[in-house]
Amino acid sequence: PLTASKEEKSVAGQAIYSIADGLLAICLANPISQDCLRGIIELAPQRVICLDAAFGGNDQLKTNTVLEMKSHGIEFRTV
């Protein structure tokens, strides 16, 4: 909902937004670091949204991220 809480956090030196008390994490950093992605996983949100361009064409990093998030029960999407 539009009234959901939001909080800006720093993970591995990159800004992320925690929405609805941590249920959703949004990272608009470009490029995104692997350390940031792992830090987001440690926060254990239900969903994560990142920019597709943040992976800079590194399909291996994106695929590994998808699999790692899935193994932790996190829904991962890129836009």
Side-chain angles (χ1 to χ4, degrees), residues 1-6 19-20:
L2 294 175
T3 58
S5 64
K6 65 178 174 80
I19 311 296

Side-chain angles (χ1 to χ4, degrees), residues 33-78:
S33 70
Q34 190 169 15
D35 290 337
C36 181
L37 292 166
R38 289 204 172 122
I40 292 171
I41 290 170
E42 289 176 14
L43 295 175
Q46 288 182 358
R47 294 181 186 94
V48 174
I49 298 174
C50 294
L51 295 175
D52 191 57
F55 291 92
N58 187 341
D59 291 335
Q60 181 180 4
L61 176 60
K62 185 176 175 183
T63 301
N64 288 342
T65 300
V66 168
L67 294 173
E68 196 169 352
M69 296 263 184
K70 187 175 183 179
S71 73
H72 285 88
I74 300 170
E75 182 183 333
F76 178 72
R77 306 263 173 152
T78 59

